[in-house]
Amino acid sequence: MAIIEISNLKKSFGKLDVLKQITFDVNKNDVIAVIGPSGSGKSTMLRSLVHLEEINGGSITIAGEAFVKDGVYAKPQDIKKITSKMGMVFQHFNLFPHLTVKENLELPPKLVKNEPVTTIQQRSMELLRKIGLTNHAHVYPANLSGGQKQRVAIARALMMNPEILLFDEPTSALDPELTGEVLEVIKALAQEQMTMIVVTHEMGFAREVANRVIFMDNGEIIETGHPSELFTNPQNERTKAFLSRSLK
Amino acid sequence: MSFEYFTSILVPMLEGAQMTVLLFFIAIIVSVPLGFLLTLAVKSSFKLVSLLAQGYIYVMRGTPLLLQLLLICFGLPMLPVVGEYLVFDRFVAACIGFVLNYAAYFAEIFRGGLLAIDKGQYEASKVLGLSKWQTTTRIILPQMVRVTLPAIANESVTLVKDTALLYAVAVPELLHFAQTAVNRDFTIVPFFVAGMIYLVMTLFLTFIFKGIERRYKFE
């Protein structure tokens, strides 16, 4: 059964339609790469899944519960409950600069989740080990490299035990030599069967890790398929043009 | 110039300085939180609340503090009907004036501080499930404090010097005793002593704020 069902998503800023009838499903354990040129609506689509953007039409169903149905949103507390199944990693990390790495990880679950503090601390130590930053637990984000910041941001999202993790261009703000360490963490999550949607410009990564690639252009899904098909044998002209530009 | 004369004017002036310090603490302790509430009111989605707060800030920053003090001390009691209930002790009246005036300035400082906070901080908080209140108190406020500390320090130094306006509403404070001594003894020395005391107070304040800034460095 699909864990995310998105149907006929529509969004416009004034007269500009940024999303036109976006429809697709995400199954449990899927790793979906969303690719496409800038301004194609990839990020807006992703952000609407966690209610950072209001859509103007369509439905979003998470694990069987719709928080927006035919453009009508559920009650705020229901939206919150349903969207809490998803975690999000941003392009610009959005770590809390006034908190240390450990505090960044532990404050949100302490405030939101009904868990004993020791459980939360245990989980943060585990995740720090996983991202290889145990020695940086008491460091402030200002003293981390971009790659380290993004790994902390991923760990912070995982602290909430999400069922689905969304990545909004997680490596676009990084120096090229730092993207590898972040992609490694995402790859490791894929191996652990984490359900993920990754908006990315890293074609090599999409090809290697995703089990489905969605190509968006101008607010529409143009083509979707397994990376082995979509990258080697794209059907649509726009996909071909985009891939030949970005694989150069 | 004898040492005896120096101490004889220093003692009453230091007593006057107590008023200055007391006013400073009352004004800062009340006007900083009040200023933050005003900032929230300005940013409120209730249009009327926002407009009232903006109007208040405009009036308080757009008219002299001295005028406001004179109005509260000597103007309000002249109002028909309610005037007789608005006769305050001079010092209390001055405190009210300073608090109301400085709250407007602090509100503007905090508003600027909020503008400096990246919208990604709100987005991350929302996605992590924090409530609006938790986001404001745990995420936004500490960052706002860091951004606004230099401006708050600056405003506080101004406040120390503005306490001299107590002179105008005849509350005996540091400057009042200096002026009295100058007139009585026909010497310029008390003015310099007063200046020194102000300098000591602002220096002390500068050190305190430098210490707080170090604590809020987050590095």
Side-chain angles (χ1 to χ4, degrees), chain B residues 87-125:
Chain B
V87 186
F88 303 111
D89 171 76
R90 291 281 165 74
F91 182 71
V92 174
C95 285
I96 296 173
F98 271 88
V99 163
L100 294 181
N101 179 274
Y102 269 81
Y105 280 95
F106 283 124
E108 274 302 280
I109 291 175
F110 291 142
R111 199 175 61 84
L114 288 183
L115 287 177
I117 293 171
D118 188 70
K119 76 177 190 341
Q121 294 291 309
Y122 295 93
E123 293 185 349
S125 306

Short mmCIF file of all heavy atoms in Angstrom, two decimals, chain B residues 87-125:
data_model
loop_
_atom_site.label_atom_id
_atom_site.label_comp_id
_atom_site.label_asym_id
_atom_site.label_seq_id
_atom_site.Cartn_x
_atom_site.Cartn_y
_atom_site.Cartn_z
N VAL B 87 -2.43 62.24 40.05
CA VAL B 87 -1.32 62.92 40.71
C VAL B 87 -0.40 61.86 41.31
O VAL B 87 -0.76 61.18 42.27
CB VAL B 87 -1.83 63.86 41.83
CG1 VAL B 87 -0.67 64.66 42.40
CG2 VAL B 87 -2.90 64.77 41.28
N PHE B 88 0.77 61.71 40.68
CA PHE B 88 1.71 60.69 41.16
C PHE B 88 2.84 61.35 41.92
O PHE B 88 3.13 62.52 41.73
CB PHE B 88 2.31 59.91 39.98
CG PHE B 88 1.29 59.25 39.11
CD1 PHE B 88 1.09 59.71 37.81
CD2 PHE B 88 0.53 58.19 39.57
CE1 PHE B 88 0.15 59.12 36.99
CE2 PHE B 88 -0.40 57.58 38.75
CZ PHE B 88 -0.60 58.05 37.46
N ASP B 89 3.49 60.54 42.73
CA ASP B 89 4.77 60.94 43.26
C ASP B 89 5.69 61.24 42.07
O ASP B 89 5.63 60.55 41.06
CB ASP B 89 5.32 59.77 44.10
CG ASP B 89 6.75 60.02 44.51
OD1 ASP B 89 6.94 60.83 45.42
OD2 ASP B 89 7.65 59.40 43.90
N ARG B 90 6.52 62.27 42.18
CA ARG B 90 7.35 62.69 41.05
C ARG B 90 8.20 61.53 40.50
O ARG B 90 8.29 61.33 39.29
CB ARG B 90 8.31 63.81 41.46
CG ARG B 90 7.64 65.11 41.75
CD ARG B 90 7.28 65.86 40.45
NE ARG B 90 6.33 66.91 40.74
CZ ARG B 90 6.66 68.04 41.35
NH1 ARG B 90 7.91 68.27 41.70
NH2 ARG B 90 5.76 68.96 41.61
N PHE B 91 8.81 60.79 41.42
CA PHE B 91 9.69 59.71 40.97
C PHE B 91 8.89 58.62 40.26
O PHE B 91 9.30 58.11 39.22
CB PHE B 91 10.46 59.12 42.17
CG PHE B 91 11.42 58.04 41.76
CD1 PHE B 91 12.58 58.35 41.07
CD2 PHE B 91 11.17 56.71 42.06
CE1 PHE B 91 13.47 57.37 40.68
CE2 PHE B 91 12.05 55.71 41.67
CZ PHE B 91 13.20 56.04 40.98
N VAL B 92 7.73 58.30 40.83
CA VAL B 92 6.86 57.29 40.20
C VAL B 92 6.46 57.76 38.81
O VAL B 92 6.53 57.01 37.82
CB VAL B 92 5.61 57.03 41.06
CG1 VAL B 92 4.65 56.09 40.33
CG2 VAL B 92 6.01 56.44 42.40
N ALA B 93 6.07 59.02 38.72
CA ALA B 93 5.68 59.58 37.43
C ALA B 93 6.83 59.47 36.43
O ALA B 93 6.63 59.10 35.26
CB ALA B 93 5.25 61.03 37.60
N ALA B 94 8.03 59.79 36.89
CA ALA B 94 9.19 59.72 36.01
C ALA B 94 9.43 58.28 35.54
O ALA B 94 9.71 58.04 34.36
CB ALA B 94 10.43 60.25 36.71
N CYS B 95 9.28 57.32 36.47
CA CYS B 95 9.45 55.91 36.09
C CYS B 95 8.47 55.52 35.00
O CYS B 95 8.83 54.88 34.01
CB CYS B 95 9.24 55.01 37.31
SG CYS B 95 10.63 55.05 38.45
N ILE B 96 7.20 55.94 35.18
CA ILE B 96 6.18 55.63 34.18
C ILE B 96 6.59 56.20 32.83
O ILE B 96 6.56 55.52 31.80
CB ILE B 96 4.79 56.18 34.61
CG1 ILE B 96 4.33 55.47 35.89
CG2 ILE B 96 3.77 56.00 33.49
CD1 ILE B 96 3.06 56.07 36.49
N GLY B 97 7.02 57.44 32.83
CA GLY B 97 7.44 58.09 31.60
C GLY B 97 8.58 57.36 30.92
O GLY B 97 8.53 57.08 29.72
N PHE B 98 9.61 57.03 31.69
CA PHE B 98 10.77 56.33 31.12
C PHE B 98 10.38 54.96 30.56
O PHE B 98 10.82 54.59 29.48
CB PHE B 98 11.88 56.17 32.17
CG PHE B 98 12.82 57.33 32.22
CD1 PHE B 98 12.56 58.43 33.02
CD2 PHE B 98 13.98 57.34 31.45
CE1 PHE B 98 13.42 59.51 33.06
CE2 PHE B 98 14.85 58.41 31.48
CZ PHE B 98 14.57 59.51 32.29
N VAL B 99 9.58 54.23 31.34
CA VAL B 99 9.19 52.88 30.89
C VAL B 99 8.41 52.96 29.58
O VAL B 99 8.69 52.25 28.61
CB VAL B 99 8.36 52.17 31.98
CG1 VAL B 99 7.61 50.99 31.39
CG2 VAL B 99 9.26 51.73 33.12
N LEU B 100 7.41 53.88 29.55
CA LEU B 100 6.57 53.98 28.35
C LEU B 100 7.40 54.39 27.14
O LEU B 100 7.22 53.88 26.04
CB LEU B 100 5.44 54.99 28.58
CG LEU B 100 4.41 54.59 29.63
CD1 LEU B 100 3.33 55.66 29.76
CD2 LEU B 100 3.77 53.25 29.28
N ASN B 101 8.34 55.32 27.36
CA ASN B 101 9.17 55.80 26.25
C ASN B 101 10.15 54.74 25.78
O ASN B 101 10.26 54.46 24.59
CB ASN B 101 9.90 57.07 26.70
CG ASN B 101 10.81 57.62 25.61
OD1 ASN B 101 11.96 57.19 25.48
ND2 ASN B 101 10.29 58.53 24.82
N TYR B 102 10.87 54.14 26.72
CA TYR B 102 11.90 53.19 26.31
C TYR B 102 11.33 51.90 25.74
O TYR B 102 11.95 51.26 24.89
CB TYR B 102 12.88 52.92 27.47
CG TYR B 102 14.03 53.88 27.41
CD1 TYR B 102 13.90 55.18 27.88
CD2 TYR B 102 15.22 53.52 26.80
CE1 TYR B 102 14.94 56.08 27.77
CE2 TYR B 102 16.26 54.42 26.68
CZ TYR B 102 16.12 55.70 27.18
OH TYR B 102 17.15 56.59 27.04
N ALA B 103 10.12 51.53 26.18
CA ALA B 103 9.49 50.33 25.61
C ALA B 103 9.34 50.50 24.11
O ALA B 103 9.54 49.55 23.34
CB ALA B 103 8.13 50.09 26.27
N ALA B 104 9.01 51.71 23.67
CA ALA B 104 8.84 51.97 22.23
C ALA B 104 10.17 51.78 21.50
O ALA B 104 10.22 51.19 20.42
CB ALA B 104 8.30 53.37 22.00
N TYR B 105 11.25 52.28 22.09
CA TYR B 105 12.57 52.12 21.45
C TYR B 105 12.98 50.65 21.40
O TYR B 105 13.48 50.17 20.40
CB TYR B 105 13.63 52.95 22.19
CG TYR B 105 13.60 54.41 21.78
CD1 TYR B 105 12.88 55.32 22.54
CD2 TYR B 105 14.26 54.84 20.64
CE1 TYR B 105 12.83 56.66 22.17
CE2 TYR B 105 14.21 56.16 20.26
CZ TYR B 105 13.50 57.07 21.02
OH TYR B 105 13.44 58.38 20.65
N PHE B 106 12.78 49.96 22.52
CA PHE B 106 13.15 48.54 22.55
C PHE B 106 12.31 47.73 21.55
O PHE B 106 12.80 46.80 20.92
CB PHE B 106 13.03 47.96 23.96
CG PHE B 106 14.16 48.37 24.86
CD1 PHE B 106 13.93 49.01 26.06
CD2 PHE B 106 15.48 48.12 24.49
CE1 PHE B 106 14.98 49.40 26.88
CE2 PHE B 106 16.55 48.50 25.30
CZ PHE B 106 16.29 49.14 26.49
N ALA B 107 11.04 48.13 21.41
CA ALA B 107 10.18 47.42 20.45
C ALA B 107 10.76 47.52 19.05
O ALA B 107 10.79 46.54 18.30
CB ALA B 107 8.76 48.01 20.49
N GLU B 108 11.25 48.71 18.70
CA GLU B 108 11.85 48.89 17.37
C GLU B 108 13.12 48.06 17.23
O GLU B 108 13.38 47.47 16.18
CB GLU B 108 12.15 50.37 17.13
CG GLU B 108 10.98 51.15 16.57
CD GLU B 108 10.46 50.58 15.26
OE1 GLU B 108 11.05 50.83 14.20
OE2 GLU B 108 9.44 49.87 15.31
N ILE B 109 13.92 48.01 18.29
CA ILE B 109 15.15 47.22 18.25
C ILE B 109 14.81 45.73 18.05
O ILE B 109 15.40 45.05 17.22
CB ILE B 109 15.96 47.41 19.55
CG1 ILE B 109 16.53 48.83 19.60
CG2 ILE B 109 17.09 46.38 19.64
CD1 ILE B 109 17.25 49.17 20.89
N PHE B 110 13.83 45.25 18.80
CA PHE B 110 13.46 43.84 18.70
C PHE B 110 12.87 43.52 17.33
O PHE B 110 13.10 42.44 16.78
CB PHE B 110 12.45 43.46 19.80
CG PHE B 110 13.06 43.48 21.17
CD1 PHE B 110 12.33 43.93 22.27
CD2 PHE B 110 14.36 43.06 21.38
CE1 PHE B 110 12.89 43.96 23.53
CE2 PHE B 110 14.93 43.09 22.64
CZ PHE B 110 14.20 43.53 23.71
N ARG B 111 12.11 44.47 16.79
CA ARG B 111 11.52 44.24 15.47
C ARG B 111 12.65 44.03 14.45
O ARG B 111 12.59 43.13 13.61
CB ARG B 111 10.64 45.43 15.06
CG ARG B 111 9.65 45.13 13.96
CD ARG B 111 8.76 46.33 13.72
NE ARG B 111 9.53 47.49 13.29
CZ ARG B 111 9.92 47.72 12.03
NH1 ARG B 111 9.58 46.87 11.10
NH2 ARG B 111 10.62 48.79 11.71
N GLY B 112 13.66 44.88 14.56
CA GLY B 112 14.82 44.70 13.68
C GLY B 112 15.49 43.36 13.89
O GLY B 112 15.90 42.69 12.94
N GLY B 113 15.58 42.94 15.15
CA GLY B 113 16.20 41.65 15.47
C GLY B 113 15.43 40.49 14.86
O GLY B 113 16.03 39.54 14.35
N LEU B 114 14.11 40.59 14.89
CA LEU B 114 13.30 39.51 14.32
C LEU B 114 13.48 39.44 12.81
O LEU B 114 13.50 38.35 12.22
CB LEU B 114 11.82 39.72 14.65
CG LEU B 114 11.41 39.47 16.11
CD1 LEU B 114 9.91 39.65 16.28
CD2 LEU B 114 11.81 38.06 16.55
N LEU B 115 13.63 40.61 12.18
CA LEU B 115 13.82 40.63 10.73
C LEU B 115 15.11 39.91 10.33
O LEU B 115 15.21 39.37 9.25
CB LEU B 115 13.88 42.07 10.22
CG LEU B 115 12.56 42.84 10.19
CD1 LEU B 115 12.78 44.27 9.73
CD2 LEU B 115 11.56 42.15 9.29
N ALA B 116 16.08 39.90 11.26
CA ALA B 116 17.38 39.30 10.94
C ALA B 116 17.35 37.78 11.03
O ALA B 116 18.31 37.12 10.65
CB ALA B 116 18.45 39.87 11.88
N ILE B 117 16.28 37.22 11.56
CA ILE B 117 16.23 35.77 11.74
C ILE B 117 15.69 35.10 10.48
O ILE B 117 14.63 35.47 9.97
CB ILE B 117 15.40 35.39 12.98
CG1 ILE B 117 16.14 35.89 14.22
CG2 ILE B 117 15.17 33.89 13.06
CD1 ILE B 117 15.35 35.78 15.49
N ASP B 118 16.44 34.13 9.99
CA ASP B 118 16.12 33.46 8.74
C ASP B 118 14.78 32.73 8.84
O ASP B 118 14.46 32.13 9.87
CB ASP B 118 17.24 32.45 8.45
CG ASP B 118 17.08 31.84 7.09
OD1 ASP B 118 17.29 32.57 6.11
OD2 ASP B 118 16.73 30.65 7.01
N LYS B 119 14.01 32.78 7.75
CA LYS B 119 12.70 32.12 7.81
C LYS B 119 12.84 30.60 7.90
O LYS B 119 11.93 29.90 8.32
CB LYS B 119 11.82 32.54 6.63
CG LYS B 119 12.15 31.92 5.28
CD LYS B 119 11.12 32.40 4.28
CE LYS B 119 11.11 31.74 2.94
NZ LYS B 119 12.23 30.99 2.43
N GLY B 120 13.99 30.10 7.51
CA GLY B 120 14.27 28.67 7.66
C GLY B 120 14.17 28.20 9.10
O GLY B 120 13.88 27.03 9.36
N GLN B 121 14.43 29.09 10.06
CA GLN B 121 14.33 28.72 11.47
C GLN B 121 12.88 28.41 11.84
O GLN B 121 12.60 27.47 12.58
CB GLN B 121 14.84 29.87 12.36
CG GLN B 121 16.33 30.13 12.18
CD GLN B 121 17.16 29.00 12.74
OE1 GLN B 121 16.99 28.58 13.87
NE2 GLN B 121 18.06 28.47 11.93
N TYR B 122 11.95 29.21 11.30
CA TYR B 122 10.53 28.96 11.55
C TYR B 122 10.10 27.66 10.85
O TYR B 122 9.33 26.88 11.40
CB TYR B 122 9.67 30.12 11.02
CG TYR B 122 9.91 31.44 11.73
CD1 TYR B 122 10.83 32.36 11.25
CD2 TYR B 122 9.20 31.77 12.88
CE1 TYR B 122 11.04 33.57 11.89
CE2 TYR B 122 9.39 32.98 13.53
CZ TYR B 122 10.32 33.87 13.02
OH TYR B 122 10.53 35.06 13.66
N GLU B 123 10.61 27.47 9.62
CA GLU B 123 10.21 26.29 8.85
C GLU B 123 10.70 25.01 9.52
O GLU B 123 9.94 24.05 9.67
CB GLU B 123 10.75 26.39 7.42
CG GLU B 123 10.10 27.51 6.62
CD GLU B 123 10.54 27.54 5.18
OE1 GLU B 123 11.51 26.83 4.82
OE2 GLU B 123 9.92 28.28 4.39
N ALA B 124 11.97 25.01 9.94
CA ALA B 124 12.51 23.82 10.61
C ALA B 124 11.70 23.54 11.87
O ALA B 124 11.34 22.40 12.15
CB ALA B 124 13.98 24.03 10.93
N SER B 125 11.40 24.59 12.65
CA SER B 125 10.63 24.41 13.88
C SER B 125 9.26 23.80 13.59
O SER B 125 8.80 22.91 14.29
CB SER B 125 10.44 25.75 14.60
OG SER B 125 11.68 26.37 14.81
#
